[in-house]
Amino acid sequence: MEKRLRDIAEEARRSLDSVSSLAELDEIRVRFLGKKGELTRVLRKMGMVPAEERPRIGQLANEVRDVIEKSLAGRIEAVKERVKEERLRQEGIDVTLPGLPVTRGRKHPITLVTEEIAGFFLGLGYSIAEGPEIELDYYNFEALNIPKDHPARDMQDTFFIEPEILLRTHTSPVQVRAMEKATPALPVKIIAPGRVYRRDDDATHSPMFHQVEGLVVDRHIALSDLKGTLDLFARKMFGIGIHTRFRPSYFPFTEPSLEVDISCVMCGGDGCRVCSSTGWLEILGSGMVHPRVLEMSGYNSEEVTGFAFGLGVERIAMLKYGIDDMRLLFENDLRFLQQF
Amino acid sequence: MLVSFKWLQEFVDIDISPADLADRLTMAGLETGRIIEPGKDITGVVTGRVDDVSPHPNADKLLVVKVSNGAETFQIVTAATNIAQGDVVPVALEGARLAGGVVIKRAKLRGIESQGMMCSGRELGLDQKIMPAEQAHGIMILPPGTPLGVDARQVLGLDDVVLELELTPNRGDCLSIIGVAREVAALLGKDFRMPVPVFPEMPESIEGQVRVDIHKPDLCRRYVARLIKNVRAGSSPLWVQQRLRCAGIRPISNIVDVTNYVMLELGQPLHAFDYDLLTGHHIIVRLAGKDEKITSLDGVERELDPDMLVIADPSGAVAIAGVMGGLNSEVTPDTKSVLLESAFFDPVSIRRTAKRLGLSSESAQRFEKGIDLSGCTRAVDRAAQLIQDMGAGEVVAGVVDNYPCPAVEKAIVLRPSRVTHVLGVDVSVSAMQNVLSGLQFKIRDDGNEMLVTVPVHRTDVNVEIDLIEEIARMYGYHRLPCTLPGGSATPGYKTAEQLFTDKIRDVLAEAGLFEVVTYSFISPGIFDLINLPPEHLLRRAVSVKNPLSEEHSVMRTIMWPGLLEVLVRNYNRQVKNGTVFEIGHVFYPRGEGRQPAECPMLAAVVTGRTRGGWNQAPREMDFYYLKGFLEIIFDRAGVSEVSYLPEKTNPSFHPGRTACLVSDDCFLGIIGEIHPDVLEKFGLGQRAAAFEIDLTALFKVCKGGKKYQPISRFPGVDRDLAVVISQDVPAQEVFKVIRESGGMLLKEVELFDLYYGRQVPEGCRSMAFTLKFQALDRTLTDTEVTGCLDNIANDLRLRLGAKLRV
C-alpha cells in the first residue's frame, strides 16, 4: 500500500511534467485526486491496513495528496501564464500603421493672425468694435479729415456703390463710429478687425483684404504711448529679437503720422529680396488722432488726445508663414489651407 | 519723384553719401526708395568723332567707320544707319563695359576688323522713353562741339546718382529740387541757396504787348507772363537733357525743355504759348463755356465741362489751365515769340479737371498739391535766364504780374507744453526753435508761447499740431521713449455675439471643416448658375459702380455658391473631397441713398467622400454628413428645438433632400443637397451638400447659460422598440411622439435601425429605437417600464398610425 502511494506520487509527477494545457491538467486532477481517482481508490482500501499502520499510511496519503495538489496548482499557474503570453504575442500589431482617420478642419490663416492680434490687444484692455463694410463717404473719408477732392483720396482707389456710399477702403471709419458711440466717456480703447476693399489686383494687392484698426483716446495719451504699444506688439507678434523703426509718414486723420517697420523677418536686417535689400519691412501705419477728427467725433481735442493704427492682416500672415503670393490667401486651395 | 544728387548739390552742400542721405530723408518723412546709379556698370566708353563712313566690302548691311577719340583713330564695323561724317558719338573701345555688363571685344565682321562699337542710348542704360524722338533708335548722336576722348558717362550725366522719393500727398512743396534741398539743408544744418536768376533783358518792354484778364480770381490767384522774342528753336544743351532724363522726362526742344527744367527745379509748372498764335495777345483766364472743346497737346480732342478752368484768348480756349496746353497755341520749330505762363491755379479745381479728363500731367500733379504762390515770378525769371543763356531767345523787359489774391502769411501759436503733452517727451524750447527756423519758419517767442509764421510754400502747415509734427519728425522718432497708456484700467472683452461667432468657427474647424475666405463681391451670373428665377429676391443685390470686372460686380446676397466655386476649383485641381465653411456678411439693398443691410452668415459646403483608410471605409458626404455639423453647432449654441421642414421648391436644392431650419418661429436657414442641375452648371460631377445659416437669427434663439441636470444613481433600463410606419411621417415626428409619451422616465431615444424592404409593406419603413428609462429616485420595476413602453407604442399607433413590429 505504501508502495502504491509512492508510485501514485511518482506517476502524478511524471504526468504533470509532460502536460501543457489546462484541459490536460484538469484530466490529471480527476485521475489522481477526483472522487474516482487513484488516490481515492487506494484510500478506500485503508480498511485492509493493519490498525497500527493506519496513522502512518494515512499521513503518507495526505502528504501524497498535498504534493500532488501543490504541483498541480504550480503547473496550472505556469500554464495560465504561458497561455496569456501566447495570447499577447498573437495580439501584437504593427504600431507603425496609420491610426483611425479623424477628420479635422482648419481655421483660415487670416483668422489665425487676426485672433493672435486680437488676443494681444484684449490682454491690454482693448475691446473689439465692428462697423459696416459698405460705408458712407462721411465715415470713410470726410470724418477722417479727407474732404472731397483731397489728393489723399488717390492713396485709396475706391469702389463706389453710390456717390455717397462705398466699400470701405480701410477699417478707420470704425474709429469714428466708436468715438461717436462712446463720447463723452473715456477712455476709448478698441481694435476693429474686418474686411476692406480697394481697386487693386496683383501679386501684392487684392481687391479685398483685411485690416485691424486700433484706437485709444484718453486724457493723457502721447506719441510715446503709441510707440510703446506698437513696439511691444511687434515683438509679441514676430519675436522678442525683432527691432522696430518709426518713420514719419502722412495720413490725413492722424498727426503726427508714422509708419512702423520691423527688422526683416527673413534676413534679420541684412537685406534680402523680401525687404528689397533695405533690411526693413513696413507693417503698419499709425499716428496721433488728428484734432479735427476728435472734434468731428464729439471730443474736445484740447482735453483729450489719442493714437490710432491700422495694419494689414494679409501682410502679417504672409510674413509669419512665408507666403509669397497674396492670391494664395483667397484661392482657398485645400492643400494650402490644411497647412495651418 | 526722381532727384539728381548733383542737381541737389547746386542748392545745398551735402557732406554725406547718397545712401546716407536717402536714409536721413526716409527718417524725416521723405521716403526714399531706390538709389539709382545710371552709369554704375559702364566703363571705357568715350566720345569720338566719325571721320569716315564707307560701305563694307563683303556685306550690304554693314558699314566700316573710322572714329577718332582726338588722339587715335579706330576702325569700327556697324549696322547703324543714322550716322554721318562729323557726328560725335559714344564709342565703346575694346575692354569697355556697357550697361547690363556686356564687355566689348575686338572682333572680325565679315573679314573686316572692328575695334569696338558705337553706342545707342539703350546700350548706355537710357530708357527709350526719355530719349529725344530722333535718338530713340540707332546710335546716340551727341551735340556738335562735344569734346573728344571724354568719358561718356560724364558727358551724358551718367555719373550722377538719382534718388527715388516716394512723397506723401501733403508734401507738394517737395515736388522740386529746391523743395528737397530745403529739407536737406534743415536736416544737415546747412544753408539753403535759393537760385536768383540774373539775365539781360531787351530794351523793349512787355507793357502793351500782353494783356492778362483773370475772370475767376478764386481759381487763379496769380498769373505771371513773360515774353521771349527772336526764338531760335532747336534742341537744348546736353546738360539740360541730362537733368530732364534723370527726372524721367524726355527732352523735346529748347523752349519746352526749359519749362520742364524749371518745373523740376522750382516746382512751378510753366507753359509756353506761341505768342503769335494768341489772338490779340490777350490771355483770359475763365471757365470753359458750354460744349466748349479743345484739342490738347497730345492730339486728343477734349470736351470741357463748364466748371473747368481754361486759358483762352478772345477767339477760344488755348489751354486747359494747369493740366495741358492746347495744340492751337503750341510752340513749334517755326515759333518766333513765346509767351511764358507762370500761374497759381486752385488745387481742387485742377484736381477735378485732371481727374475728369483722365489727364494726370506733371503740371497737374504739382498744382493739385499746392505750389508756392510767392514763387511765380522767380520761376518765369529762371526760365528767361535759361533761354537767354542757351541762346534760345531774347527776353523782353518786365513781366505782367496779375495777382488778385496775394499770399497771406499764416501765423500759428505754438505752446511748448502742448508739444511735450503730445509727444510724451520734453523737447527744449531751443530745440523746437532750431527745427522750425531750419525749415524757414519765423518765430516770435514770448515766454509761454511762440508765434510761428509759416513760409508760403508750406501749404500743409495750418494748425499747431502740424508744427508739432514738424518738430517730431526732425527731432527723430527714435528718440522718443516707449511707454504704455496710463489712466484707468479697462477690461478688454468680446461681446456675446463675437464670442458666439468665435465658438462656431472653432467648433466647425475642430470638427472637420476648413475655413475659407472668399470675396464679398460676386458675379451676377452666379444667380443663373444656381437656378434662381428672374424675379427672385436674392437677385436684388447691391452693385458696385466701378468694379474691376463683371466677375466681382455685385455684393453677395448668398454665400454658399462662392463656397461651391471653391470646391469646384479644388476638384479641378484633383482635390476631389472638400469640406469648407465661411463666416461673413451678405448684403441686401435698402433703397437708393440708404446704406445696405449687412447680415452675418455662416455657410458650409461639402462634396466627395470622407477620408478612408486601411481600417475605415470612406463614405459619401451627403445631407446627413453635413447635418451632423449643424447638430454640433446647435448643441454647442444651446439651441434645443430645431425643426427641419422639408423644402421641395427651392430651385437651387434637391427637392427631396432639403430642409428649412426653424426654431422658436425663427427662420434660421437652409440645409440640403445641391440640385443636380446646379452641380452640372458648376461642372461638378459628384454630389454636394450645403447649408447657410443666419447668425443673427441663430444667436437670437440660442440659450446661453447652461444649467446642470442631476444624474441618477439608480440603474437605467434599456428596451428596444420597433415600429412599422408610413414613409410620409418624418422621423422628427416619431421622435417627438416618443418623447412626449415617454415622459420624465424616458431618458434617451436612439434610432438604431431603419429598414425598407420585403418584410415591410409598400410605402412604409421600419424604425427601431433603443429607449433608456431611468428615474432619479428609485430603481424602476419591470412593470413600470413595460407600462411606459406600452404607452409609447399606443401613442405611436394612435397618433401616427404606427404598427408594433414583433
PDB file of all heavy atoms in Angstrom, chain B residues 527-528 530-539 649-652:
ATOM      1  N   PHE B 527     -26.273  83.895 -60.060  1.00  0.00           N
ATOM      2  CA  PHE B 527     -27.701  83.683 -59.783  1.00  0.00           C
ATOM      3  C   PHE B 527     -28.329  82.768 -60.836  1.00  0.00           C
ATOM      4  O   PHE B 527     -29.236  82.008 -60.535  1.00  0.00           O
ATOM      5  CB  PHE B 527     -28.441  85.026 -59.724  1.00  0.00           C
ATOM      6  CG  PHE B 527     -27.932  85.943 -58.645  1.00  0.00           C
ATOM      7  CD1 PHE B 527     -27.591  87.257 -58.927  1.00  0.00           C
ATOM      8  CD2 PHE B 527     -27.787  85.474 -57.331  1.00  0.00           C
ATOM      9  CE1 PHE B 527     -27.114  88.098 -57.925  1.00  0.00           C
ATOM     10  CE2 PHE B 527     -27.313  86.310 -56.328  1.00  0.00           C
ATOM     11  CZ  PHE B 527     -26.971  87.629 -56.633  1.00  0.00           C
ATOM     12  N   ASP B 528     -27.831  82.862 -62.073  1.00  0.00           N
ATOM     13  CA  ASP B 528     -28.309  81.934 -63.106  1.00  0.00           C
ATOM     14  C   ASP B 528     -27.785  80.535 -62.817  1.00  0.00           C
ATOM     15  O   ASP B 528     -28.496  79.555 -62.965  1.00  0.00           O
ATOM     16  CB  ASP B 528     -27.833  82.377 -64.491  1.00  0.00           C
ATOM     17  CG  ASP B 528     -28.413  83.740 -64.881  1.00  0.00           C
ATOM     18  OD1 ASP B 528     -29.509  84.073 -64.390  1.00  0.00           O
ATOM     19  OD2 ASP B 528     -27.745  84.470 -65.644  1.00  0.00           O
ATOM     20  N   ILE B 530     -27.238  79.148 -60.078  1.00  0.00           N
ATOM     21  CA  ILE B 530     -27.956  78.443 -59.013  1.00  0.00           C
ATOM     22  C   ILE B 530     -29.460  78.408 -59.274  1.00  0.00           C
ATOM     23  O   ILE B 530     -30.265  78.212 -58.358  1.00  0.00           O
ATOM     24  CB  ILE B 530     -27.648  79.021 -57.606  1.00  0.00           C
ATOM     25  CG1 ILE B 530     -28.099  80.479 -57.493  1.00  0.00           C
ATOM     26  CG2 ILE B 530     -26.172  78.899 -57.283  1.00  0.00           C
ATOM     27  CD1 ILE B 530     -28.104  80.995 -56.056  1.00  0.00           C
ATOM     28  N   ASN B 531     -29.844  78.618 -60.546  1.00  0.00           N
ATOM     29  CA  ASN B 531     -31.230  78.377 -60.969  1.00  0.00           C
ATOM     30  C   ASN B 531     -32.250  79.360 -60.420  1.00  0.00           C
ATOM     31  O   ASN B 531     -33.436  79.028 -60.366  1.00  0.00           O
ATOM     32  CB  ASN B 531     -31.692  76.984 -60.516  1.00  0.00           C
ATOM     33  CG  ASN B 531     -31.382  75.943 -61.562  1.00  0.00           C
ATOM     34  OD1 ASN B 531     -31.001  76.310 -62.676  1.00  0.00           O
ATOM     35  ND2 ASN B 531     -31.532  74.675 -61.208  1.00  0.00           N
ATOM     36  N   LEU B 532     -31.819  80.537 -59.963  1.00  0.00           N
ATOM     37  CA  LEU B 532     -32.816  81.445 -59.410  1.00  0.00           C
ATOM     38  C   LEU B 532     -33.699  81.988 -60.528  1.00  0.00           C
ATOM     39  O   LEU B 532     -33.194  82.395 -61.567  1.00  0.00           O
ATOM     40  CB  LEU B 532     -32.136  82.627 -58.696  1.00  0.00           C
ATOM     41  CG  LEU B 532     -31.411  82.335 -57.399  1.00  0.00           C
ATOM     42  CD1 LEU B 532     -30.985  83.648 -56.739  1.00  0.00           C
ATOM     43  CD2 LEU B 532     -32.277  81.535 -56.441  1.00  0.00           C
ATOM     44  N   PRO B 533     -35.023  82.005 -60.318  1.00  0.00           N
ATOM     45  CA  PRO B 533     -35.905  82.584 -61.335  1.00  0.00           C
ATOM     46  C   PRO B 533     -35.649  84.088 -61.451  1.00  0.00           C
ATOM     47  O   PRO B 533     -35.101  84.700 -60.531  1.00  0.00           O
ATOM     48  CB  PRO B 533     -37.307  82.299 -60.798  1.00  0.00           C
ATOM     49  CG  PRO B 533     -37.131  82.011 -59.357  1.00  0.00           C
ATOM     50  CD  PRO B 533     -35.763  81.473 -59.168  1.00  0.00           C
ATOM     51  N   PRO B 534     -36.052  84.682 -62.569  1.00  0.00           N
ATOM     52  CA  PRO B 534     -35.678  86.074 -62.876  1.00  0.00           C
ATOM     53  C   PRO B 534     -36.025  87.074 -61.784  1.00  0.00           C
ATOM     54  O   PRO B 534     -35.255  87.992 -61.525  1.00  0.00           O
ATOM     55  CB  PRO B 534     -36.473  86.384 -64.142  1.00  0.00           C
ATOM     56  CG  PRO B 534     -36.743  85.063 -64.755  1.00  0.00           C
ATOM     57  CD  PRO B 534     -36.820  84.060 -63.654  1.00  0.00           C
ATOM     58  N   GLU B 535     -37.148  86.918 -61.123  1.00  0.00           N
ATOM     59  CA  GLU B 535     -37.550  87.950 -60.172  1.00  0.00           C
ATOM     60  C   GLU B 535     -37.170  87.607 -58.734  1.00  0.00           C
ATOM     61  O   GLU B 535     -37.668  88.207 -57.804  1.00  0.00           O
ATOM     62  CB  GLU B 535     -39.060  88.197 -60.271  1.00  0.00           C
ATOM     63  CG  GLU B 535     -39.495  88.821 -61.582  1.00  0.00           C
ATOM     64  CD  GLU B 535     -38.733  90.099 -61.911  1.00  0.00           C
ATOM     65  OE1 GLU B 535     -38.558  90.933 -60.996  1.00  0.00           O
ATOM     66  OE2 GLU B 535     -38.270  90.229 -63.059  1.00  0.00           O
ATOM     67  N   HIS B 536     -36.326  86.620 -58.558  1.00  0.00           N
ATOM     68  CA  HIS B 536     -36.034  86.152 -57.204  1.00  0.00           C
ATOM     69  C   HIS B 536     -35.423  87.266 -56.352  1.00  0.00           C
ATOM     70  O   HIS B 536     -34.609  88.057 -56.815  1.00  0.00           O
ATOM     71  CB  HIS B 536     -35.089  84.957 -57.267  1.00  0.00           C
ATOM     72  CG  HIS B 536     -35.076  84.153 -55.998  1.00  0.00           C
ATOM     73  ND1 HIS B 536     -34.358  84.546 -54.906  1.00  0.00           N
ATOM     74  CD2 HIS B 536     -35.715  83.019 -55.656  1.00  0.00           C
ATOM     75  CE1 HIS B 536     -34.543  83.663 -53.939  1.00  0.00           C
ATOM     76  NE2 HIS B 536     -35.366  82.726 -54.372  1.00  0.00           N
ATOM     77  N   LEU B 537     -35.818  87.287 -55.086  1.00  0.00           N
ATOM     78  CA  LEU B 537     -35.379  88.322 -54.151  1.00  0.00           C
ATOM     79  C   LEU B 537     -33.854  88.399 -54.023  1.00  0.00           C
ATOM     80  O   LEU B 537     -33.268  89.477 -53.899  1.00  0.00           O
ATOM     81  CB  LEU B 537     -35.992  88.018 -52.780  1.00  0.00           C
ATOM     82  CG  LEU B 537     -36.355  89.224 -51.926  1.00  0.00           C
ATOM     83  CD1 LEU B 537     -37.344  90.118 -52.645  1.00  0.00           C
ATOM     84  CD2 LEU B 537     -36.929  88.747 -50.585  1.00  0.00           C
ATOM     85  N   LEU B 538     -33.208  87.225 -54.052  1.00  0.00           N
ATOM     86  CA  LEU B 538     -31.757  87.215 -53.855  1.00  0.00           C
ATOM     87  C   LEU B 538     -31.008  87.858 -55.022  1.00  0.00           C
ATOM     88  O   LEU B 538     -29.827  88.177 -54.906  1.00  0.00           O
ATOM     89  CB  LEU B 538     -31.258  85.780 -53.652  1.00  0.00           C
ATOM     90  CG  LEU B 538     -31.626  85.148 -52.320  1.00  0.00           C
ATOM     91  CD1 LEU B 538     -31.215  83.690 -52.293  1.00  0.00           C
ATOM     92  CD2 LEU B 538     -30.977  85.893 -51.153  1.00  0.00           C
ATOM     93  N   ARG B 539     -31.716  88.021 -56.145  1.00  0.00           N
ATOM     94  CA  ARG B 539     -31.067  88.690 -57.272  1.00  0.00           C
ATOM     95  C   ARG B 539     -30.971  90.191 -57.064  1.00  0.00           C
ATOM     96  O   ARG B 539     -30.253  90.882 -57.777  1.00  0.00           O
ATOM     97  CB  ARG B 539     -31.870  88.441 -58.560  1.00  0.00           C
ATOM     98  CG  ARG B 539     -31.659  87.070 -59.156  1.00  0.00           C
ATOM     99  CD  ARG B 539     -32.418  86.975 -60.449  1.00  0.00           C
ATOM    100  NE  ARG B 539     -32.299  85.659 -61.056  1.00  0.00           N
ATOM    101  CZ  ARG B 539     -31.400  85.353 -61.989  1.00  0.00           C
ATOM    102  NH1 ARG B 539     -30.554  86.260 -62.403  1.00  0.00           N
ATOM    103  NH2 ARG B 539     -31.360  84.131 -62.484  1.00  0.00           N
ATOM    104  N   THR B 649     -39.260  73.234 -52.885  1.00  0.00           N
ATOM    105  CA  THR B 649     -39.430  74.170 -54.002  1.00  0.00           C
ATOM    106  C   THR B 649     -38.228  75.080 -54.232  1.00  0.00           C
ATOM    107  O   THR B 649     -38.238  75.873 -55.149  1.00  0.00           O
ATOM    108  CB  THR B 649     -40.651  75.073 -53.746  1.00  0.00           C
ATOM    109  OG1 THR B 649     -40.472  75.711 -52.483  1.00  0.00           O
ATOM    110  CG2 THR B 649     -41.927  74.272 -53.725  1.00  0.00           C
ATOM    111  N   ASN B 650     -37.204  74.986 -53.390  1.00  0.00           N
ATOM    112  CA  ASN B 650     -36.046  75.853 -53.613  1.00  0.00           C
ATOM    113  C   ASN B 650     -35.332  75.418 -54.888  1.00  0.00           C
ATOM    114  O   ASN B 650     -34.887  74.270 -55.001  1.00  0.00           O
ATOM    115  CB  ASN B 650     -35.095  75.768 -52.420  1.00  0.00           C
ATOM    116  CG  ASN B 650     -34.017  76.815 -52.503  1.00  0.00           C
ATOM    117  OD1 ASN B 650     -33.315  76.918 -53.510  1.00  0.00           O
ATOM    118  ND2 ASN B 650     -33.892  77.617 -51.462  1.00  0.00           N
ATOM    119  N   PRO B 651     -35.217  76.324 -55.879  1.00  0.00           N
ATOM    120  CA  PRO B 651     -34.706  75.911 -57.195  1.00  0.00           C
ATOM    121  C   PRO B 651     -33.230  75.513 -57.169  1.00  0.00           C
ATOM    122  O   PRO B 651     -32.753  74.886 -58.113  1.00  0.00           O
ATOM    123  CB  PRO B 651     -34.916  77.155 -58.062  1.00  0.00           C
ATOM    124  CG  PRO B 651     -34.980  78.293 -57.100  1.00  0.00           C
ATOM    125  CD  PRO B 651     -35.569  77.756 -55.836  1.00  0.00           C
ATOM    126  N   SER B 652     -32.503  75.872 -56.125  1.00  0.00           N
ATOM    127  CA  SER B 652     -31.078  75.560 -56.089  1.00  0.00           C
ATOM    128  C   SER B 652     -30.795  74.206 -55.467  1.00  0.00           C
ATOM    129  O   SER B 652     -29.690  73.689 -55.583  1.00  0.00           O
ATOM    130  CB  SER B 652     -30.330  76.616 -55.263  1.00  0.00           C
ATOM    131  OG  SER B 652     -30.684  77.905 -55.653  1.00  0.00           O
TER     132      SER B 652
END
